[in-house]
Amino acid sequence: MAMAYKMATEGMDVKEECQRWFMEMKWKKVHRFVVYRIDERSRAVLVDRVGGPGEGYEELVAALPGDDCRYAVFDFDFVSVDNCQKSKIFFIAWSPAASRIRAKILYATSKQGLRRLLDGVHYEVQATDPSEMGFDVIRGRAQ
C-alpha cells in the first residue's frame, strides 16, 4: 500500500510517489522535471508527469495544461558567471487564467503542504501564463 503524507492544515494527502520522484530528480539527475496534480475526489496530490531523459524546459511548459492548475519542479543546470556548473531547483505553481476558480483556490491553499515535503527547492515561481515562467525568468532568478 502506497504511503501518503497528510497535509494537516490543508486536509490534503500527498502520495509518497511525489517525494520519491522529486528525490530521484534531485539526487540521481535522471529527469529534469516532475509535474503534480490534485485529484479532487480523493483529495490527494499525485504525480501527473515525469520528464524523461533528454526532456527539458520546453517539454515541461508543454506538459502544463492551458485550462487547469498544476505544480511542477524543475532542475535547472547552468554555468555561473565565475564559470562553475550549478544546479537550482524551481517550484512552479501554475494557475492559468482559464482554470476554474475552485481549482485555483484548491491549489493555492494546498501549495505549502507539498512545498514542505520537497526539501531542496531553491526558488518558487507563480505563473498564470507562460510568459511569467519563461526560460529567461528562470535563468534570471538562478543567476
Side-chain angles (χ1 to χ4, degrees):
M1 184 168 181
M3 225 172 103
Y5 302 95
K6 189 71 153 176
M7 292 189 226
T9 57
E10 296 86 2
M12 188 71 58
D13 284 333
V14 178
K15 298 299 181 192
E16 181 272 336
E17 67 179 6
C18 295
Q19 191 172 33
R20 186 182 70 232
W21 280 108
F22 173 79
M23 296 308 273
E24 278 194 22
M25 180 191 75
K26 179 180 171 183
W27 296 112
K28 294 183 180 176
K29 306 279 188 188
V30 175
H31 44 270
R32 311 302 304 156
F33 67 87
V34 181
V35 178
Y36 303 98
R37 70 178 177 85
I38 294 177
D39 180 62
E40 291 185 35
R41 281 199 193 100
S42 64
R43 297 198 49 78
V45 179
L46 310 168
V47 172
D48 189 44
R49 185 172 180 313
V50 176
E55 288 189 301
Y57 196 69
E58 295 79 23
E59 290 81 7
L60 165 61
V61 173
L64 299 173
D67 62 352
D68 201 5
C69 302
R70 291 291 187 274
Y71 303 121
V73 285
F74 176 65
D75 188 5
F76 178 61
D77 286 335
F78 64 100
V79 177
S80 67
V81 291
D82 54 351
N83 209 29
C84 293
Q85 185 68 34
K86 296 201 174 193
S87 176
K88 298 290 182 187
I89 297 176
F90 284 78
F91 179 88
I92 300 168
W94 173 247
S95 183
S99 58
R100 296 173 302 124
I101 298 289
R102 177 180 168 83
K104 289 178 186 181
I105 293 169
L106 185 60
Y107 276 78
T109 58
S110 302
K111 179 179 71 173
Q112 281 312 111
L114 176 61
R115 275 282 278 114
R116 278 192 295 272
L117 292 176
L118 304 179
D119 186 39
V121 170
H122 299 102
Y123 301 105
E124 184 172 318
V125 175
Q126 295 193 18
T128 59
D129 72 60
S131 69
E132 295 175 346
M133 56 177 270
F135 193 73
D136 55 331
V137 172
I138 299 296
R139 186 176 40 237
R141 293 281 298 275
Q143 299 291 338

